[in-house]
Amino acid sequence: MGESAMRREWLTGKLIPLALWSIPLASEILALAGKSAQMAREGLRQDLSMEFARHTLTLAFFLLVLAAYLSRMRVVAPAAGFKEKILPMMVFLAGPLGIFVLQRLGWPARFAAPRTAVALSVAGLALSLWALWHLRSSFSILAEARRVVSTGPYRLIRHPLYLGEAGTMLGLCLLLGTYTALAFWAAVNLFQLVRARIEEEKLAREFPDYRAYRQRTRFILPGLY
């Protein structure tokens, strides 16, 4: 690989995603610090506790993905073309940036389900942690092939990380309490399913044992789909 190609790969694969990721990450750190100070002054009111939980879960999720992204192993087959490079990056950034924008808009809530929302977010985050622990250095944002992971939750379904992300994001959208947030969640996860199928095509081409793995596991819901 030439020097210019390496610079271009570093720019598109490292610098730009990290720069964009730092925006909601920094915002959540500041928001969490502000809520902590407010709770210290005003005590543990329910509304403040829910806001604190929301910012804590969002920050934990962002840090989790960042740690996995920075510790990846060398790629076997790099991404190529729009559907393997641009589309996955757009879907990856859409979720956190969209939540960031919706939170800042501050639209009035149409419904309230704080306990359900927090439970979904915690469950989704726990599943994401479990999946990332087994994925670790094989984590990819683009449709890249590193190795086949079939341990932990990957013994049951092929995309536990996406299922965990969906649960966490649904909880955050429920905390916002708007139908716009729920519609946004549905749209992002529809494209997430497309992204998952693209990744499977890539892995099946590069690793013959992935085909057998795909036959004995479910796509994203244990025992169902």
Side-chain angles (χ1 to χ4, degrees), residues 30-150:
L30 293 173
L32 188 58
K35 289 299 175 184
S36 298
Q38 188 177 1
M39 289 175 67
R41 292 192 307 268
E42 302 177 16
L44 293 175
R45 295 203 325 259
Q46 184 178 12
D47 58 338
L48 286 180
S49 298
M50 289 299 102
E51 283 291 299
F52 183 82
R54 176 166 63 84
H55 288 298
T56 300
L57 290 167
T58 305
L59 179 60
F61 181 70
F62 288 171
L63 290 173
L64 181 68
V65 173
L66 181 63
Y69 180 72
L70 293 175
S71 61
R72 299 179 302 169
M73 66 187 293
R74 188 176 182 85
V75 66
V76 174
F82 176 83
K83 75 174 187 177
E84 291 186 2
K85 296 178 73 173
I86 306 302
L87 179 62
M89 182 60 70
M90 290 171 61
V91 177
F92 171 73
L93 294 172
L97 291 177
I99 293 292
F100 169 75
V101 171
L102 288 170
Q103 288 174 349
R104 295 305 172 274
L105 288 173
W107 288 338
R110 301 293 183 180
F111 55 86
R115 292 182 180 178
T116 301
V118 172
L120 276 171
S121 294
V122 170
L125 184 60
L127 178 57
S128 296
L129 282 166
W130 188 24
L132 278 173
W133 175 255
H134 288 271
L135 196 61
R136 281 178 283 187
S137 58
S138 297
F139 174 77
S140 294
I141 295 174
L142 310 183
E144 299 171 324
R146 286 181 166 83
R147 66 185 176 96
V148 177
V149 177
S150 57

Side-chain angles (χ1 to χ4, degrees), residues 132-186:
L132 278 173
W133 175 255
H134 288 271
L135 196 61
R136 281 178 283 187
S137 58
S138 297
F139 174 77
S140 294
I141 295 174
L142 310 183
E144 299 171 324
R146 286 181 166 83
R147 66 185 176 96
V148 177
V149 177
S150 57
T151 58
Y154 289 91
R155 291 182 293 108
L156 304 174
I157 56 176
R158 300 191 294 278
H159 301 282
L161 181 57
Y162 291 165
L163 180 60
E165 289 175 355
T168 301
M169 187 177 172
L170 179 57
L172 295 173
C173 288
L174 287 174
L175 281 173
L176 290 172
T178 67
Y179 295 110
T180 301
L182 292 181
F184 172 74
W185 175 85

Side-chain angles (χ1 to χ4, degrees), residues 207-218:
F207 302 115
D209 56 333
Y210 187 80
R211 301 187 188 98
Y213 166 70
R214 186 163 57 180
Q215 290 178 350
R216 68 175 184 267
T217 54
R218 295 290 186 175

